[in-house]
Amino acid sequence: MAKTEVKDLLDAGVHFGHLTRKWNPNMAPYIYMERNGIHILNLYKTAAKLEEANEALKKIAASGRKILFVATKKQAKDIVADKAGNANMPYITERWPGGMLTNFVTIRKAVKKMASIDRMKQDGTFNTLSKKERLQVDRLRAKLEKNLGSISDMSRLPAALFIVDTTREHIAVKEAQKLNIPIFAMVDTNSDPREIDYVIPSNDDASKSIEKIMSSVSEAIIEGLAERKSGKDDDDAPAEVKAPKAKRGKAVAVASSEEE
């Protein structure tokens, strides 16, 4: 996993915070200075926190569990959908469905409804409906796909959340806290870092900044998935070949259980 350099963060504008009058005092430890009425983040702390978060995310991915990405703001949604998709992780980029975590059973029913509509189309049942009914079903399917399509493979609660802009996604934060699900997040100077388990102090408004952080995070997750796949391949190997790696696999399992 390549270490993110401070210069790269600087070039991406990760250090730009909000106007000083909009700041959250709890972000003071991560602020380097004030310039022209804007807070500037300490990128050395950002780099350290990003590396810490990446290590934890890598372990979660290596354990085979899912990380749910949440970003509904315009400048973040396409980037998050792309990076999370590349890492084969679920994401919410439209509207956060109330009860997404705390009422997960109901959300799963909606996802199953989407699957049942697909089966109707495959087995011909859909064609037996009237034109009006087919239109209604198509509209329902499109709505479900837009809001829940990206989590259709998420059969259980995620092991962690990764959020861009915790102030905007405060409902997601509260639900995760209620269920003791670890929260990783890009936290700008106007947000409260006390609510987040893994704080990445960063500019959560600029697309270049979001792209930089998300690229680093997704790379760590992909590495974790590769380690898991490698471990599975080792299980299929002769005993004398996989024996040296058995100890390492156990260490990964222990580290994962500690994350929980």
Side-chain angles (χ1 to χ4, degrees), residues 1 15 28 36 60 66 86 91 97 151 184 192 214 218 221:
M1 182 168 58
H15 57 299
N36 299 327
I60 293 173
K66 295 290 186 182
N86 289 342
Y91 55 88
I151 62 164
F184 296 73
D192 190 348
M214 283 301 304
S218 61
I221 292 172

Side-chain angles (χ1 to χ4, degrees), residues 21-181:
R21 60 185 170 83
K22 291 185 177 181
W23 81 312
N24 187 308
N26 293 303
M27 281 297 289
Y30 305 110
I31 294 173
Y32 174 63
M33 64 180 292
E34 175 266 326
R35 183 191 297 161
N36 299 327
I38 295 175
H39 275 132
I40 303 298
L41 289 160
N42 186 328
L43 290 182
Y44 287 98
K45 290 190 176 182
T46 298
K49 287 292 186 179
L50 178 58
E51 189 173 355
E52 179 186 336
N54 283 347
E55 284 295 335
L57 289 167
K58 184 178 176 181
K59 288 177 184 177
I60 293 173
S63 73
R65 295 171 297 166
K66 295 290 186 182
I67 299 144
L68 177 62
F69 286 80
V70 185
T72 61
K73 65 198 308 179
K74 185 179 179 181
Q75 58 269 52
K77 57 168 61 178
D78 289 341
I79 296 170
V80 170
D82 178 51
K83 300 299 182 183
N86 289 342
N88 197 29
M89 290 295 166
Y91 55 88
I92 295 290
T93 55
E94 290 305 321
R95 179 184 62 85
W96 176 264
M100 169 73 208
L101 301 177
T102 53
N103 197 12
F104 189 66
V105 174
T106 301
I107 297 296
R108 282 301 302 167
K109 284 181 181 177
V111 172
K112 288 178 180 177
K113 178 67 176 176
M114 192 164 60
S116 70
I117 292 173
D118 291 340
R119 284 195 297 272
M120 284 173 60
K121 291 187 175 183
Q122 290 174 357
D123 63 22
T125 308
F126 182 75
N127 296 325
T128 65
L129 302 175
S130 67
K131 185 177 180 180
K132 183 179 179 181
E133 287 173 328
R134 288 201 301 272
L135 184 62
Q136 289 175 333
V137 170
D138 276 335
R139 284 175 177 168
L140 174 60
R141 175 68 177 78
K143 183 179 180 181
L144 290 171
E145 175 64 36
K146 182 179 180 181
N147 294 322
L148 304 173
S150 61
I151 62 164
S152 56
D153 295 331
M154 196 173 76
S155 57
R156 58 176 178 163
L157 284 170
L161 255 63
F162 188 99
I163 298 175
V164 177
D165 195 340
T166 55
T167 299
R168 182 186 177 96
E169 314 298 346
H170 63 279
I171 299 175
V173 171
K174 294 301 180 188
E175 288 193 30
Q177 287 176 326
K178 193 171 184 180
L179 297 174
N180 292 320
I181 296 174

Side-chain angles (χ1 to χ4, degrees), residues 192-213:
D192 190 348
R194 295 176 302 175
E195 301 177 334
I196 311 305
D197 301 286
Y198 290 86
V199 175
I200 303 173
S202 50
N203 177 354
D204 63 13
D205 292 311
S207 56
K208 280 183 69 177
S209 173
I210 297 168
E211 173 92 35
K212 186 63 190 175
I213 299 297

Side-chain angles (χ1 to χ4, degrees), residues 197-255:
D197 301 286
Y198 290 86
V199 175
I200 303 173
S202 50
N203 177 354
D204 63 13
D205 292 311
S207 56
K208 280 183 69 177
S209 173
I210 297 168
E211 173 92 35
K212 186 63 190 175
I213 299 297
M214 283 301 304
S215 294
S216 178
V217 165
S218 61
E219 182 184 323
I221 292 172
I222 290 170
E223 283 190 25
L225 293 173
E227 278 189 10
R228 178 174 172 77
K229 186 176 185 299
S230 176
K232 282 187 175 181
D233 290 342
D234 290 339
D235 289 340
D236 295 332
E240 65 271 19
V241 176
K242 68 177 182 178
K245 291 194 176 184
K247 189 174 181 180
R248 186 181 71 179
K250 184 178 179 182
V252 170
V254 170

